[in-house]
Amino acid sequence: MRGLIKSLLTLFSLIIITIVLINTHQPSFKQSIDNIPDTNYAEEIGEKLQTSDFTKKTIVALRAAGYYPDSTIGYLIESPNNQIMTIQLHNLNKIESSTESEIQNIVNSIAKNNNLHFFIVYVQLIDI
């Protein structure tokens, strides 16, 4: 009888220790919330892009530099350090690094003039 009581106490102790260890080593809910993009920032930048005519200014500047962008630009905004812009161009055979660099500089100049953070620019070719 004594061995059975010792065994039950040991079993309950192991269960309690296991439960405590699982609860203390479980990732907290706050950590997963931190990984969610800041929707307030994205909305704020979206408004700034509209009020400053950023897309229109970018398209006009690219056309003035001899490029033929599509009439739309795609944006993916997660944070000030992760702002992505996709520009689709016509009338190019291939995209060279100097082309990407020049377009990046044009976009950064317009962003700076409109008090926006810089964008990571992806250039894509469109077949007509």
Side-chain angles (χ1 to χ4, degrees), residues 1 6-8 21 44 67 74 87 100 102 117 120 123:
M1 187 69 168
K6 267 186 165 177
S7 296
L8 286 174
L21 287 175
E44 177 186 322
Y67 297 106
I87 300 173
E100 288 181 325
E102 184 178 7
H117 293 279
I120 300 166
V123 180

Side-chain angles (χ1 to χ4, degrees), residues 40-96:
N40 290 336
Y41 178 76
E43 289 174 4
E44 177 186 322
I45 292 304
E47 288 176 21
K48 268 186 157 179
L49 292 173
Q50 287 180 349
T51 58
S52 68
D53 286 331
F54 183 79
T55 301
K56 183 178 179 181
K57 290 176 184 177
T58 301
I59 291 171
V60 169
L62 289 173
R63 287 182 179 155
Y67 297 106
Y68 298 94
D70 196 355
S71 60
T72 59
I73 293 178
Y75 296 97
L76 175 61
I77 311 284
E78 291 184 354
S79 69
N81 296 326
N82 195 13
Q83 299 185 149
I84 300 172
M85 170 190 274
T86 302
I87 300 173
Q88 297 178 333
L89 297 178
H90 302 278
N91 297 352
L92 281 179
N93 294 331
K94 68 177 187 172
I95 300 172
E96 296 180 13

Side-chain angles (χ1 to χ4, degrees), residues 9 13 15 22 32 36 39 46 58 76 83-84 95-96 99 106:
L9 286 174
S13 297
I15 290 173
I22 288 173
S32 59
I36 297 173
T39 54
T58 301
L76 175 61
Q83 299 185 149
I84 300 172
I95 300 172
E96 296 180 13
T99 301
I106 291 169

